[in-house]
Each structure stands twice: as structure tokens, then as C-alpha cells.
């Protein structure tokens, strides 16, 4: 499968999720910006995928990232980020969302398992109420310490200023 084929519109994703469910597969959902892929992302996504059968990744659009992180972000455009994320063997589908939070996307996908990193508490994970109301689970996975896009950007900026 080409990585492009894993990047789906919401209606196409909903159809695919329905097919997976009819096969008895558990749908895991997570989301993020994934501006620069690093070890922390790979480890996190691999652990998330191990919690179920299929991993759906909600990816912030460029406009969403700019609103959240400021005008200097994202560093890579949304289609570049989506192709990189879709190329990972443990990511089964990538879908964009333009809102500041993935709440509407979570309502539309209705995942069985919602996952974020352990820098979140379960009560503070957007969409946890939606997932638990339908009998799903909300989980956190441990993050690899010291890895973040912000830290990488700072390191590059510091090297350029010396």
C-alpha cells in the first residue's frame, strides 16, 4: 500500500472504520501535529498501535497548528507531515482536522481506545467523555524523555546563533 492511500477524508475514514469494526477489529485513535518526526513520536505511536488492531491518526492542519503554536509553525506543510506519518507501518489511517482540538473528529470516528502521552491525565484528554460513554477506553502511554519537536527546534536555533 502506498502511504498516500492511508491519508483519508473523514467520510472515507468512517467507511473504513465501519469495515474494520465489522471484522471485529479494535480502533485506536490518537492525534497531534507531528511537525518533525522523532524517536518520541515513533515510540509513542508504536505503543499506541499495540493497544488495538488499527491506529487512526488525527493530524492537525497547518492552520490549526499556527493558531495553537504560533505563526512560525508548522515547519512542514500538512501533506508532507501526513505522508511521513502514513509511511509508518503501525499507522493505519491519517485524517486531517482543522479545529484546535480533535473533539469533533473523535465524535465522528468513535474509537474503541483513545490514547495520548503520559504528559496528559486521563481526565484532561479531549474526547475522553465521548469514548467512555460508548464503553471505550482512554489510556496514556509513557513518553520517551527528552524528545519533543520544541526541543529540537530550540537546539537548531541555538546552534545557528553560535
Amino acid at each position: 500500500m502506498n502511504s498516500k492511500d492511508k491519508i483519508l477524508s473523514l467520510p472515507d475514514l468512517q467507511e473504513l472504520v465501519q469495515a474494520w469494526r465489522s471484522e471485529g477489529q479494535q480502533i485506536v485513535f490518537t492525534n497531534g501535529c507531528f511537525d518533525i518526526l522523532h524517536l518520541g513520536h515513533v515510540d509513542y505511536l508504536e505503543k499506541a498501535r499495540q493497544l488495538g488492531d488499527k491506529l487512526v491518526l488525527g493530524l492537525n492542519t497547518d492552520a490549526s497548528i499556527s493558531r495553537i503554536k504560533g505563526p512560525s509553525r508548522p515547519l512542514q506543510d500538512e501533506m508532507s507531515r501526513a505522508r511521513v506519518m502514513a509511511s509508518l507501518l503501525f499507522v493505519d489511517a491519517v485524517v486531517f482536522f482543522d479545529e484546535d482540538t480533535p473533539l469533533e473528529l473523535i465524535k465522528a470516528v468513535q474509537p474503541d481506545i483513545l490514547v495520548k502521552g503520559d504528559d496528559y491525565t486521563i481526565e484532561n484528554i479531549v474526547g475522553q467523555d465521548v469514548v467512555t460513554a460508548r464503553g471505550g477506553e482512554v489510556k496514556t502511554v509513557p513518553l520517551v524523555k527528552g524528545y519533543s519537536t520544541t526541543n529540537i527546534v530550540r537546539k537548531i536555533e541555538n546552534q545557528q546563533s553560535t
Side-chain angles (χ1 to χ4, degrees), residues 87-105:
S87 74
L88 298 172
L89 63 97
F90 36 80
V91 172
D92 297 290
V94 176
V95 63
F96 293 108
F97 69 98
D98 195 44
E99 299 79 18
D100 292 349
T101 76
L103 182 60
E104 294 306 313
L105 183 55

Side-chain angles (χ1 to χ4, degrees), residues 68-142:
I68 296 165
K69 297 191 178 272
S72 65
R73 298 279 296 275
L75 302 171
Q76 299 186 80
D77 67 87
E78 60 194 46
M79 193 49 71
S80 297
R81 292 181 291 111
R83 284 288 303 276
V84 168
M85 301 315 293
S87 74
L88 298 172
L89 63 97
F90 36 80
V91 172
D92 297 290
V94 176
V95 63
F96 293 108
F97 69 98
D98 195 44
E99 299 79 18
D100 292 349
T101 76
L103 182 60
E104 294 306 313
L105 183 55
I106 291 166
K107 287 178 181 176
V109 173
Q110 293 289 314
D112 301 298
I113 302 166
L114 175 61
V115 181
K116 290 298 279 181
D118 65 358
D119 53 339
Y120 285 83
T121 59
I122 288 178
E123 311 78 59
N124 291 331
I125 296 174
V126 169
Q128 60 87 18
D129 54 336
V130 173
V131 174
T132 56
R134 63 176 298 276
E137 299 176 82
V138 180
K139 299 184 177 192
T140 61
V141 295

